[in-house]
Amino acid sequence: MTAMSFFHDYQREQEWNISKKELLELVEVGVLAEEDIDRAVAAKFNPNRCGFEGKGEIWVEDILNLGISPVKLIENVRERFTSLGGIIFEGCSLSRLYIFDDAAVLQAADGNVLASRLVIDATGNFSPIVKQIRGGMKPDGVCLVVGSCARGFSNNSTSDVIYSSSSVKQVGESKVQLFWEAFPAGSGPEDRTTYMFSYVDPQPRCPKLEELLEAYWDLMPKYQGVSLDDLKISRVIYGIFPTYRESPLPAAFDRVLQFGDASGIQSPVSFGGFGSLTRHLGRLSDGIYEAITGDFLDSHSLSLLNPYMPNLSASWLFQRAMSAKQRTSVSSDFINELLSINFQCMQKLGDPVLRPFLQDVIQFWPLTKTLGLVMITKPQILPSIFNQVGIPVLLDWSRHFFMLGSYTFLSTFIDPLIRPMVNSFPPKTKYEWKRNLEAWKYGAGLDYEL
Ligand SMILES: Cc1cc2nc3c(=O)[nH]c(=O)nc-3n(C[C@H](O)[C@H](O)[C@H](O)COP(=O)(O)OP(=O)(O)OC[C@H]3O[C@@H](n4cnc5c(N)ncnc54)[C@H](O)[C@@H]3O)c2cc1C
């Protein structure tokens, strides 16, 4: 079996931020050796702040505290891939895909064709295949991000995992709640990346990236305590992250499986897609291997690899709670206050509650304890939460919260009863049950260990 990969380019300069724990998944599944990982680390910094303007801050260690050079990391992976017989068609666009009973045929933009048993679609958030599957549907939410990497930050030893602005601001025709992230960059001791982002409802009046960038240049100096005149800008960064409540995306066609951002497995709050990609890598690589060897390449079997995950669906509420409403009676400081209370409560409950949340893993008991403590500490915030997110979203969320509890029960108590029997099942049933057990475990966030 030969693995083949099409891709446009990988010369991204901007570092990815991740924690060592998440990165080591690459070593665990055998993609890279630990030395390769160490070589790709361009920056390392601690502690890391979660700050809420005017309301305080908490400090953590080892969260998103590595800056990884994508160029180095991908160069290593590329060498390993080709040394194992993989073939890369670089700079080559996929333009058509034909599915037959016994093969998928890929047609490149230059007219070349390739036949394959399984196509893994890792073409990101704007995958043309996903566009077709979702029927051009409007995303349920969008996160807009702008930022830059610049030289001239003398105070550059710590990072901001999240920093929320004190109040909703007017940008263009819309009101937005602005958040920030800041990370030391590996290119020099005074080099720092700062991102400003906002969750918006995708509608014609939502701010344009240019408008957000204007606001970024106005607000960033105050946020970082610098003057623009003292900075040398290395690059400007921007991105659009669409989210769909129906995520992860089940396979719609035989022989085609979405992977990475295309699959919608990333958190709708942090959009740390690189982190989520590594977290699911072990599960997905085993599953894909079994699907290929067992010839379980129909869309139903492949969908079991991107199953419903209540913890991912439950986190959609957080995006909604963090996006400013255009007409509302809640105070303009509400989102900042809500975040501050939640983080204070999580900190009081300790690492088993705070750390999985900061690494995008929502679990039933930590979430229940946090909600309980918020209600006891500040019950007067509840009406504003109802007002902010709306009853339909809360009802939908309750369903996912219930499923999160059910998956936690199933994975903790029913999995140990079924697992010993799985090997005696017929091959297809065995494949399906293994995927169900994984769905319970990952859907309840029980794959996460401190
Ligand atoms: C500004 C910014 C900062 C980020 N920072 C972080 C971070 O710090 N930590 C983190 O975890 N995540 C971060 N992310 C998210 C992270 O970059 C993505 O989640 C991750 O790259 C997803 O990987 P992917 O392989 O699924 O998709 P992508 O990285 O989007 O790769 C898709 C690839 O498919 C190619 N492609 C598209 N269409 C075709 C076609 N028709 N034919 C051939 N090739 C095609 C594209 O050229 C691209 O190379 C950031 C994203 C942005 C925009």
Side-chain angles (χ1 to χ4, degrees), residues 335-411:
I335 296 172
N336 191 36
E337 173 152 21
L338 179 66
L339 278 178
S340 154
I341 290 165
N342 269 288
F343 273 81
Q344 279 169 27
C345 289
M346 285 194 287
Q347 193 185 30
K348 272 192 203 142
L349 292 165
D351 274 359
V353 170
L354 184 61
R355 293 191 76 81
F357 181 83
L358 288 176
Q359 291 186 306
D360 288 339
V361 179
I362 306 294
Q363 297 170 323
F364 182 70
W365 290 115
L367 181 58
T368 309
K369 286 182 199 164
T370 308
L371 294 177
L373 192 57
V374 170
M375 283 184 211
I376 294 168
T377 319
K378 191 123 192 180
Q380 63 273 34
I381 203 161
L382 290 182
S384 300
I385 297 180
F386 280 86
N387 208 330
Q388 170 75 7
V389 296
I391 302 293
V393 172
L394 267 177
L395 286 177
D396 188 50
W397 179 82
S398 310
R399 182 167 62 90
H400 299 305
F401 182 62
F402 172 77
M403 290 306 286
L404 183 60
S406 309
Y407 272 43
T408 305
F409 173 82
L410 289 168
S411 189

Side-chain angles (χ1 to χ4, degrees), residues 23-150:
L23 202 57
L24 282 176
E25 304 277 346
L26 292 171
V27 178
E28 210 140 287
V29 295
V31 172
L32 288 174
E34 199 158 346
E35 305 84 79
D36 300 323
I37 299 264
D38 292 337
R39 267 200 296 274
V41 175
K44 204 172 178 177
F45 37 84
N46 263 319
N48 327 110
R49 177 173 74 153
C50 305
F52 315 96
E53 195 178 358
K55 306 242 175 248
E57 52 198 33
I58 66 168
W59 290 87
V60 290
E61 295 265 332
D62 299 333
I63 299 289
L64 294 179
N65 68 317
L66 302 181
I68 302 298
S69 156
V71 175
K72 284 195 197 137
L73 189 77
I74 294 175
E75 196 53 57
N76 279 340
V77 176
R78 177 198 177 102
E79 269 167 30
R80 191 162 158 72
F81 182 69
T82 47
S83 72
L84 292 171
I87 301 170
I88 295 174
F89 298 90
E90 200 175 339
C92 186
S93 277
L94 173 70
S95 62
R96 275 168 198 273
L97 184 57
Y98 302 93
I99 314 287
F100 298 98
D101 286 346
D102 56 349
V105 174
L106 300 105
Q107 186 179 329
D110 61 11
N112 281 328
V113 289
L114 277 174
S116 165
R117 289 182 61 211
L118 174 68
V119 175
I120 295 180
D121 169 19
T123 54
N125 276 319
F126 301 98
S127 156
I129 304 173
V130 172
K131 220 177 273 173
Q132 184 175 338
I133 298 173
R134 295 207 187 263
M137 191 183 129
K138 189 172 84 136
D140 295 302
V142 170
C143 177
L144 300 174
V145 55
V146 294
S148 71
C149 182

Side-chain angles (χ1 to χ4, degrees), residues 8-9 16-17 93-94 122-124 195 237 241 260-261 271-275:
H8 279 155
D9 71 278
W16 278 312
N17 292 103
S93 277
L94 173 70
T123 54
Y195 296 113
I237 306 149
F241 302 98
D261 279 4
F271 294 93
F274 177 48

Side-chain angles (χ1 to χ4, degrees), residues 53-268:
E53 195 178 358
K55 306 242 175 248
E57 52 198 33
I58 66 168
W59 290 87
V60 290
E61 295 265 332
D62 299 333
I63 299 289
L64 294 179
N65 68 317
L66 302 181
I68 302 298
S69 156
V71 175
K72 284 195 197 137
L73 189 77
I74 294 175
E75 196 53 57
N76 279 340
V77 176
R78 177 198 177 102
E79 269 167 30
R80 191 162 158 72
F81 182 69
T82 47
S83 72
L84 292 171
I87 301 170
I88 295 174
F89 298 90
E90 200 175 339
C92 186
S93 277
L94 173 70
S95 62
R96 275 168 198 273
L97 184 57
Y98 302 93
I99 314 287
F100 298 98
D101 286 346
D102 56 349
V105 174
L106 300 105
Q107 186 179 329
D110 61 11
N112 281 328
V113 289
L114 277 174
S116 165
R117 289 182 61 211
L118 174 68
V119 175
I120 295 180
D121 169 19
T123 54
N125 276 319
F126 301 98
S127 156
I129 304 173
V130 172
K131 220 177 273 173
Q132 184 175 338
I133 298 173
R134 295 207 187 263
M137 191 183 129
K138 189 172 84 136
D140 295 302
V142 170
C143 177
L144 300 174
V145 55
V146 294
S148 71
C149 182
R151 180 160 294 176
F153 294 88
S154 49
N155 187 3
N156 194 31
S157 57
T158 63
S159 70
D160 278 356
V161 175
I162 184 164
Y163 184 84
S164 58
S165 301
S166 63
S167 60
V168 163
K169 306 239 173 341
Q170 183 79 30
V171 175
E173 293 180 59
S174 265
K175 285 187 197 152
V176 286
Q177 170 71 38
L178 299 174
F179 301 94
W180 298 85
E181 280 182 316
F183 303 101
S187 44
E190 294 203 341
D191 294 6
R192 193 163 176 83
T193 299
T194 48
Y195 296 113
M196 185 185 88
F197 60 99
S198 187
Y199 305 101
V200 299
D201 226 359
Q203 37 92 6
R205 289 156 67 100
C206 75
K208 300 182 180 65
L209 284 174
E210 296 97 301
E211 291 168 341
L212 272 181
L213 204 51
E214 287 300 330
Y216 167 85
W217 296 124
D218 288 343
L219 300 169
M220 188 271 277
K222 179 170 170 250
Y223 159 56
Q224 285 292 302
V226 290
S227 157
L228 275 187
D229 297 334
D230 298 333
L231 298 182
K232 186 169 176 293
I233 310 293
S234 317
R235 71 188 83 93
V236 172
I237 306 149
Y238 57 89
I240 299 175
F241 302 98
T243 35
Y244 295 88
R245 289 162 81 154
E246 294 300 317
S247 296
L249 187 65
F253 307 110
D254 296 346
R255 300 187 179 278
V256 185
L257 177 71
Q258 271 63 43
F259 183 85
D261 279 4
S263 72
I265 204 113
Q266 65 282 23
S267 154

